[in-house]
Amino acid sequence: MSSISGISNGSPAATDMQRLRRAAVHEPFGRIVGKYLFGLSLALVPFGLLFNDYYSINILTFVYLMAGLACAWNIIGGFGGQFSLAHGVFFAAGAYIPAQFYLKYGVSPWLTAPAAAAVVATAAVLISWPTFRLRGPFFAIATMALNEVAAVLANYSDSLTGGARGLLIPFKASFSHMIFVERWKYCALMFAFMALTLAVVVVIRQSRLGYYLLAVREDEDSARASGVNVLAVKLWGMGISAALTSVGGTLFAMFIRFLDPPTLLSLPDIGVKFALLSLIGGIGTVWGPVLGAFFIIPAENFIRASLGGLPGAHLVVLGLLLMLAALFLKKGIVGAAAALWRRVRATP
Amino acid sequence: MENLFTILFIGLWLGGIYGLVSIGLTLIFGVIRITNFAHGEVLMVGMYGTYLAYGWLGLNPYLAVVVVVPVMFVFGVLIQRVLMQPLLDEPLMQMFASFGLLMFLQNLVLMLTRGASLGIPSSGRADNLSIAGINLSLGHVLAFVASTVIVIALHFFLRHTMMGKAIRAVTQDKRAAATMGINVNRIYRLTFGLGTAITGVASVFLTPIYTLSPSIGGDFVLAAFAVVVLGGMGSIWGAYFAGLIIGVTEAAAGFYIDPALKSAVWFLIFIIVLIVRPSGLLGTVGAEEVGLREQH
């Protein structure tokens, strides 16, 4: 017996097994919280440094928001492996509903944001119920069509969305309106959103739902054969993901204060962006989408600022980056860093 | 009755264009199962190529076929070789890569043209035909004819030539095809190239009808995927008829509901069909899963 284990310990298969077993065991609670707080405090460093820089703090605000949104997409897209392009719809609904309640009835976005999130999550579950019958590219195409339907409807229904003219939210600064004079307050708000989303992601990753989502991503049929209720798992993942995306939409609406369909339902800037940030950072990892946002959003702004004369230059670079990442960086920055770390540890 | 006839008529011409655009994607997505979201942008590049051939070489826009199609074939082979071949067994990464290609091509053209919209003047409007009291442009008729000719030619190619048979063999079972001495990767490159070349033909016939803009691919990509899926994955005739069905649906929705909502109507129908019968009209039931099953 001992000789067998001695042999297998030396083979690569055994080390893989050990790594898997280690990953499957729950981390101690304190360490999870510690990692979470450490990551968040690192993410706060630029906030402290850029506090008074009007231009940079706007970018940072957007970084936090997109990081939170990418994390939300990652729940169903990364953990669950369902390439959803419908998240732009949840985002737009999360922006429009509170904005209209604020404009027409003066209801504070603080109250409507959770209500809208609940409505959007319910709608997402109802829409996904039939759509989850589709797999891989077919699911992606169906959700892409959904985004386009939403774009056509948003342009059409003047009374609900302001149509193509868009909705302008007047600047009336007050805490209850979620409109601020000081830019850093928006930044802090987005940071809080990112922290909330990350907390949800960390909890899901440690929970039964998280493991089920991973199982569904790896092999849907095997997961079903092992007794996982695949549809329920996907629907839970989608519902939570959509609710968080909707909250992000509300914050975006109150930050930008101008809403129109091309902004909210653009595939390259919204729907695909969430997936892109996750991929670059590390799809299906907890911190990957945050890293992706911290890397891509400032880079994008830099390119836009330095090549401002050329329309679309930043998207040319982003498209190139996306192709390169799909080819050579499939596990994103997090995966590359982990591989590097393993290599460093392996060489004495 | 008069209205119905008009709708059918307009729908068929529109459907001819959708069919024309989708036949290339039938080869790429339907036959070799590569998810290419950049299909609309490939079409757009072809249209700009046609415009260049017309503007620089002074060719008749329809004669540009002789230049555009070979170039597009090489372009397609390159996309397959460089971008898609390494990702054959990874549908998720194919989607990312093709979205990258979409953003890259669309914005590269935007950057080069600085957003100016281009168009070939006069043709189309000047050459209006009048059949049974309905005005239609010569451009639409030619597009319809081209679509029909391509479908028939492709049908014979896939059924009756060794190359066509090799393509179908690879689709059915990569490994078995390889043991029969078929160079699988070469077949993939050729099929992708052929799909792109046919899209090149489509772009030549569309250039005189449409005003060129870098984002014009976005108007066709979803229609093309819808046509491929509705027709049944890999079914050439399915794509042809699905194109006509979508054209008529769009025309009818534009007339009876609201022109602004016409695309939303058939998107919804598409989503429903996709969910209820994912094998499409002329597809084999279960065939939609073939390309997703793991093959090594």
Side-chain angles (χ1 to χ4, degrees):
Chain A
M1 207 53 200
S2 65
S3 70
I4 293 169
S5 67
I7 291 164
S8 58
N9 266 346
S11 72
T15 52
D16 273 358
M17 272 312 288
Q18 282 169 348
R19 202 179 304 133
L20 268 177
R21 208 168 291 147
R22 226 179 290 135
V25 171
H26 278 249
E27 279 185 274
F29 180 71
R31 231 177 86 184
I32 297 166
V33 175
K35 268 193 195 168
Y36 171 72
L37 291 178
F38 177 69
L40 281 188
S41 45
L42 272 187
L44 260 184
V45 171
F47 184 59
L49 293 175
L50 304 171
F51 195 77
N52 282 322
D53 184 342
Y54 185 86
Y55 175 72
S56 306
I57 202 131
N58 267 337
I59 296 175
L60 187 64
T61 308
F62 210 59
V63 168
Y64 288 148
L65 174 68
M66 289 310 277
L69 286 163
C71 280
W73 182 86
N74 193 41
I75 294 173
I76 188 69
F79 294 155
Q82 308 298 313
F83 195 95
S84 163
L85 293 171
H87 273 60
V89 183
F90 311 146
F91 178 77
Y96 275 129
I97 298 171
Q100 281 292 28
F101 270 94
Y102 171 75
L103 286 174
K104 286 195 174 147
Y105 311 107
V107 185
S108 163
W110 295 100
L111 298 175
T112 40
V119 171
V120 169
T122 313
V125 167
L126 290 178
I127 293 168
S128 307
W129 205 305
T131 319
F132 272 139
R133 286 186 48 174
L134 304 167
R135 294 191 189 185
F138 294 90
F139 179 75
I141 295 164
T143 48
M144 186 177 168
L146 217 57
N147 190 83
E148 299 301 312
V149 172
V152 172
L153 291 181
N155 264 317
Y156 180 74
S157 47
D158 244 354
S159 58
L160 284 178
T161 64
R165 274 178 297 108
L167 284 181
L168 187 66
I169 301 170
F171 185 82
K172 274 187 266 175
S174 120
F175 180 77
S176 69
H177 292 170
M178 213 191 270
I179 295 170
F180 309 105
V181 177
E182 303 90 341
R183 303 309 282 180
W184 68 265
K185 286 186 177 167
Y186 283 113
C187 200
L189 188 65
M190 301 307 182
F191 178 81
F193 168 65
M194 184 185 78
L196 167 78
T197 315
L198 263 169
V200 174
V201 169
V202 168
V203 170
I204 288 181
R205 183 63 188 78
Q206 298 298 323
S207 72
R208 193 169 278 266
L209 177 64
Y211 286 106
Y212 281 173
L213 280 167
L214 293 181
V216 168
R217 176 186 72 188
E218 290 308 321
D219 193 330
E220 208 174 305
D221 298 318
S222 305
R224 187 174 290 117
S226 324
V228 176
N229 184 345
V230 171
L231 181 65
V233 166
K234 285 183 185 173
L235 289 178
W236 270 106
M238 184 58 107
I240 295 170
S241 178
L244 289 168
T245 307
S246 161
V247 173
T250 309
L251 300 184
F252 179 81
M254 300 320 283
F255 173 56
I256 297 284
R257 289 188 297 102
F258 176 70
L259 306 176
D260 66 342
T263 315
L264 294 173
L265 290 159
S266 138
L267 273 178
D269 276 331
I270 303 291
V272 177
K273 193 61 127 332
F274 304 154
L276 186 152
L277 297 177
S278 302
L279 175 74
I280 303 272
I283 200 162
T285 62
V286 172
W287 288 95
V290 178
L291 276 178
F294 267 84
F295 180 68
I296 294 293
I297 305 288
E300 211 184 346
N301 273 287
F302 174 75
I303 298 166
R304 208 181 295 171
S306 53
L307 293 172
L310 294 169
H314 67 288
L315 288 174
V316 170
V317 177
L318 216 55
L320 208 58
L321 213 59
L322 191 51
M323 285 189 274
L324 290 174
L327 284 172
F328 306 114
L329 202 70
K330 295 188 178 75
K331 290 178 178 166
I333 302 171
V334 169
L340 197 70
W341 175 240
R342 272 202 297 279
R343 192 177 292 176
V344 168
R345 276 215 321 199
T347 49
Chain B
M1 200 56 216
E2 187 87 338
N3 285 340
L4 203 67
F5 185 69
T6 315
I7 289 165
L8 217 62
F9 216 67
I10 293 172
L12 287 183
W13 298 129
L14 202 59
I17 287 173
Y18 283 144
L20 192 58
V21 171
S22 315
I23 298 164
L25 193 67
T26 303
L27 284 177
I28 293 166
F29 182 59
V31 174
I32 56 173
R33 305 295 160 104
I34 288 175
T35 314
N36 182 22
F37 281 131
H39 185 73
E41 275 56 38
V42 169
L43 179 80
M44 181 270 295
V45 168
M47 289 173 79
Y48 275 89
T50 310
Y51 185 82
L52 282 186
Y54 157 83
W56 282 4
L57 308 177
L59 286 177
N60 176 300
Y62 289 107
L63 274 180
V65 162
V66 292
V67 187
V68 170
V69 171
V71 173
M72 291 294 276
F73 179 80
V74 175
F75 184 48
V77 171
L78 270 178
I79 295 176
Q80 170 64 20
R81 178 66 196 87
V82 176
L83 198 60
M84 293 308 187
Q85 196 163 305
L87 304 174
L88 271 191
D89 292 318
E90 293 170 274
L92 184 71
M93 288 300 152
Q94 283 175 19
M95 289 189 251
F96 274 119
S98 63
F99 250 115
L101 186 64
L102 181 159
M103 286 159 75
F104 177 75
L105 291 177
Q106 185 178 334
N107 291 288
L108 189 68
V109 173
L110 176 69
M111 213 166 84
L112 295 176
T113 61
R114 308 215 164 210
S117 36
L118 306 166
I120 293 177
S122 84
S123 68
R125 273 170 221 89
D127 309 327
N128 274 344
L129 296 178
S130 185
I131 299 174
I134 295 163
N135 284 318
L136 58 125
S137 71
L138 184 63
H140 282 87
V141 179
L142 286 174
F144 189 86
V145 172
S147 158
T148 312
V149 169
I150 289 174
V151 166
I152 293 170
L154 202 58
H155 175 86
F156 276 97
F157 172 73
L158 286 176
R159 291 278 153 188
H160 301 292
T161 64
M162 280 311 277
M163 183 84 75
K165 286 176 183 171
I167 290 173
R168 289 193 296 133
V170 168
T171 316
Q172 283 174 11
D173 194 326
K174 256 187 262 181
R175 200 164 39 169
T179 59
M180 295 296 128
I182 296 172
N183 184 339
V184 173
N185 279 333
R186 185 162 160 269
I187 290 295
Y188 269 80
R189 286 197 294 275
L190 281 173
T191 314
F192 204 107
L194 191 61
T196 317
I198 291 174
T199 311
V201 178
S203 63
V204 167
F205 281 90
L206 258 56
T207 309
I209 306 176
Y210 289 88
T211 305
L212 273 64
S213 82
S215 58
I216 194 165
D219 298 345
F220 290 105
V221 66
L222 205 55
F225 273 103
V227 167
V228 172
V229 175
L230 279 183
M233 294 292 283
S235 165
I236 307 290
W237 285 103
Y240 182 74
F241 290 116
L244 297 184
I245 289 172
I246 284 189
V248 173
T249 311
E250 184 174 324
F255 184 80
Y256 290 111
I257 302 173
D258 192 312
L261 289 179
K262 59 187 181 191
S263 50
V265 170
W266 70 254
F267 286 162
L268 279 176
I269 293 176
F270 166 56
I271 296 174
I272 292 165
V273 172
L274 193 57
I275 290 161
V276 176
R277 190 179 155 82
S279 49
L281 299 173
L282 301 184
T284 328
V285 173
E288 75 278 5
E289 291 279 338
V290 170
L292 301 175
R293 232 179 271 149
E294 276 186 39
Q295 296 184 346
H296 297 290

PDB file of all heavy atoms in Angstrom, chain B residues 63-76:
ATOM      1  N   LEU B  63     -18.965  43.927 -61.526  1.00  0.00           N
ATOM      2  CA  LEU B  63     -17.748  43.272 -62.017  1.00  0.00           C
ATOM      3  C   LEU B  63     -16.708  43.125 -60.916  1.00  0.00           C
ATOM      4  O   LEU B  63     -15.760  42.352 -61.033  1.00  0.00           O
ATOM      5  CB  LEU B  63     -17.162  44.071 -63.187  1.00  0.00           C
ATOM      6  CG  LEU B  63     -17.736  43.736 -64.562  1.00  0.00           C
ATOM      7  CD1 LEU B  63     -17.053  44.595 -65.625  1.00  0.00           C
ATOM      8  CD2 LEU B  63     -17.537  42.259 -64.875  1.00  0.00           C
ATOM      9  N   ALA B  64     -16.888  43.889 -59.822  1.00  0.00           N
ATOM     10  CA  ALA B  64     -15.946  43.816 -58.704  1.00  0.00           C
ATOM     11  C   ALA B  64     -15.867  42.406 -58.137  1.00  0.00           C
ATOM     12  O   ALA B  64     -14.928  42.083 -57.414  1.00  0.00           O
ATOM     13  CB  ALA B  64     -16.357  44.804 -57.615  1.00  0.00           C
ATOM     14  N   VAL B  65     -16.833  41.559 -58.492  1.00  0.00           N
ATOM     15  CA  VAL B  65     -16.825  40.168 -58.047  1.00  0.00           C
ATOM     16  C   VAL B  65     -15.473  39.512 -58.296  1.00  0.00           C
ATOM     17  O   VAL B  65     -14.925  38.824 -57.434  1.00  0.00           O
ATOM     18  CB  VAL B  65     -17.941  39.371 -58.776  1.00  0.00           C
ATOM     19  CG1 VAL B  65     -17.704  37.873 -58.687  1.00  0.00           C
ATOM     20  CG2 VAL B  65     -19.286  39.690 -58.171  1.00  0.00           C
ATOM     21  N   VAL B  66     -14.899  39.765 -59.477  1.00  0.00           N
ATOM     22  CA  VAL B  66     -13.658  39.076 -59.844  1.00  0.00           C
ATOM     23  C   VAL B  66     -12.499  39.452 -58.925  1.00  0.00           C
ATOM     24  O   VAL B  66     -11.558  38.680 -58.759  1.00  0.00           O
ATOM     25  CB  VAL B  66     -13.269  39.340 -61.320  1.00  0.00           C
ATOM     26  CG1 VAL B  66     -14.263  38.693 -62.245  1.00  0.00           C
ATOM     27  CG2 VAL B  66     -13.150  40.828 -61.586  1.00  0.00           C
ATOM     28  N   VAL B  67     -12.550  40.647 -58.332  1.00  0.00           N
ATOM     29  CA  VAL B  67     -11.488  41.056 -57.410  1.00  0.00           C
ATOM     30  C   VAL B  67     -11.856  40.671 -55.976  1.00  0.00           C
ATOM     31  O   VAL B  67     -11.048  40.092 -55.244  1.00  0.00           O
ATOM     32  CB  VAL B  67     -11.261  42.588 -57.477  1.00  0.00           C
ATOM     33  CG1 VAL B  67     -10.054  42.971 -56.642  1.00  0.00           C
ATOM     34  CG2 VAL B  67     -11.122  43.035 -58.907  1.00  0.00           C
ATOM     35  N   VAL B  68     -13.089  40.987 -55.597  1.00  0.00           N
ATOM     36  CA  VAL B  68     -13.488  40.868 -54.199  1.00  0.00           C
ATOM     37  C   VAL B  68     -13.524  39.413 -53.744  1.00  0.00           C
ATOM     38  O   VAL B  68     -13.028  39.080 -52.665  1.00  0.00           O
ATOM     39  CB  VAL B  68     -14.865  41.544 -53.980  1.00  0.00           C
ATOM     40  CG1 VAL B  68     -15.409  41.224 -52.594  1.00  0.00           C
ATOM     41  CG2 VAL B  68     -14.747  43.043 -54.160  1.00  0.00           C
ATOM     42  N   VAL B  69     -14.074  38.530 -54.568  1.00  0.00           N
ATOM     43  CA  VAL B  69     -14.277  37.154 -54.117  1.00  0.00           C
ATOM     44  C   VAL B  69     -12.963  36.420 -53.806  1.00  0.00           C
ATOM     45  O   VAL B  69     -12.835  35.831 -52.740  1.00  0.00           O
ATOM     46  CB  VAL B  69     -15.171  36.390 -55.115  1.00  0.00           C
ATOM     47  CG1 VAL B  69     -15.213  34.915 -54.787  1.00  0.00           C
ATOM     48  CG2 VAL B  69     -16.583  36.972 -55.066  1.00  0.00           C
ATOM     49  N   PRO B  70     -11.947  36.470 -54.705  1.00  0.00           N
ATOM     50  CA  PRO B  70     -10.688  35.797 -54.333  1.00  0.00           C
ATOM     51  C   PRO B  70     -10.050  36.392 -53.079  1.00  0.00           C
ATOM     52  O   PRO B  70      -9.546  35.655 -52.235  1.00  0.00           O
ATOM     53  CB  PRO B  70      -9.787  36.036 -55.553  1.00  0.00           C
ATOM     54  CG  PRO B  70     -10.689  36.416 -56.655  1.00  0.00           C
ATOM     55  CD  PRO B  70     -11.892  37.035 -56.049  1.00  0.00           C
ATOM     56  N   VAL B  71     -10.100  37.728 -52.962  1.00  0.00           N
ATOM     57  CA  VAL B  71      -9.516  38.367 -51.781  1.00  0.00           C
ATOM     58  C   VAL B  71     -10.240  37.904 -50.515  1.00  0.00           C
ATOM     59  O   VAL B  71      -9.614  37.586 -49.494  1.00  0.00           O
ATOM     60  CB  VAL B  71      -9.579  39.909 -51.906  1.00  0.00           C
ATOM     61  CG1 VAL B  71      -9.135  40.574 -50.612  1.00  0.00           C
ATOM     62  CG2 VAL B  71      -8.728  40.381 -53.067  1.00  0.00           C
ATOM     63  N   MET B  72     -11.571  37.827 -50.607  1.00  0.00           N
ATOM     64  CA  MET B  72     -12.349  37.402 -49.445  1.00  0.00           C
ATOM     65  C   MET B  72     -12.062  35.948 -49.094  1.00  0.00           C
ATOM     66  O   MET B  72     -12.054  35.565 -47.928  1.00  0.00           O
ATOM     67  CB  MET B  72     -13.842  37.588 -49.717  1.00  0.00           C
ATOM     68  CG  MET B  72     -14.277  39.027 -49.797  1.00  0.00           C
ATOM     69  SD  MET B  72     -14.133  39.895 -48.236  1.00  0.00           S
ATOM     70  CE  MET B  72     -15.678  39.411 -47.478  1.00  0.00           C
ATOM     71  N   PHE B  73     -11.830  35.122 -50.109  1.00  0.00           N
ATOM     72  CA  PHE B  73     -11.495  33.719 -49.843  1.00  0.00           C
ATOM     73  C   PHE B  73     -10.211  33.642 -49.014  1.00  0.00           C
ATOM     74  O   PHE B  73     -10.161  32.971 -47.978  1.00  0.00           O
ATOM     75  CB  PHE B  73     -11.323  32.956 -51.159  1.00  0.00           C
ATOM     76  CG  PHE B  73     -10.957  31.511 -50.966  1.00  0.00           C
ATOM     77  CD1 PHE B  73     -11.935  30.575 -50.649  1.00  0.00           C
ATOM     78  CD2 PHE B  73      -9.644  31.088 -51.072  1.00  0.00           C
ATOM     79  CE1 PHE B  73     -11.606  29.251 -50.453  1.00  0.00           C
ATOM     80  CE2 PHE B  73      -9.306  29.759 -50.879  1.00  0.00           C
ATOM     81  CZ  PHE B  73     -10.298  28.835 -50.562  1.00  0.00           C
ATOM     82  N   VAL B  74      -9.197  34.387 -49.441  1.00  0.00           N
ATOM     83  CA  VAL B  74      -7.924  34.392 -48.712  1.00  0.00           C
ATOM     84  C   VAL B  74      -8.132  34.937 -47.299  1.00  0.00           C
ATOM     85  O   VAL B  74      -7.610  34.395 -46.313  1.00  0.00           O
ATOM     86  CB  VAL B  74      -6.874  35.231 -49.476  1.00  0.00           C
ATOM     87  CG1 VAL B  74      -5.594  35.354 -48.668  1.00  0.00           C
ATOM     88  CG2 VAL B  74      -6.595  34.617 -50.835  1.00  0.00           C
ATOM     89  N   PHE B  75      -8.936  35.985 -47.202  1.00  0.00           N
ATOM     90  CA  PHE B  75      -9.249  36.583 -45.903  1.00  0.00           C
ATOM     91  C   PHE B  75      -9.869  35.531 -44.970  1.00  0.00           C
ATOM     92  O   PHE B  75      -9.473  35.399 -43.806  1.00  0.00           O
ATOM     93  CB  PHE B  75     -10.216  37.755 -46.141  1.00  0.00           C
ATOM     94  CG  PHE B  75     -10.572  38.542 -44.912  1.00  0.00           C
ATOM     95  CD1 PHE B  75      -9.585  38.973 -44.029  1.00  0.00           C
ATOM     96  CD2 PHE B  75     -11.895  38.880 -44.663  1.00  0.00           C
ATOM     97  CE1 PHE B  75      -9.920  39.713 -42.913  1.00  0.00           C
ATOM     98  CE2 PHE B  75     -12.236  39.620 -43.542  1.00  0.00           C
ATOM     99  CZ  PHE B  75     -11.249  40.037 -42.665  1.00  0.00           C
ATOM    100  N   GLY B  76     -10.806  34.776 -45.506  1.00  0.00           N
ATOM    101  CA  GLY B  76     -11.466  33.741 -44.710  1.00  0.00           C
ATOM    102  C   GLY B  76     -10.508  32.647 -44.276  1.00  0.00           C
ATOM    103  O   GLY B  76     -10.515  32.217 -43.113  1.00  0.00           O
TER     104      GLY B  76
END
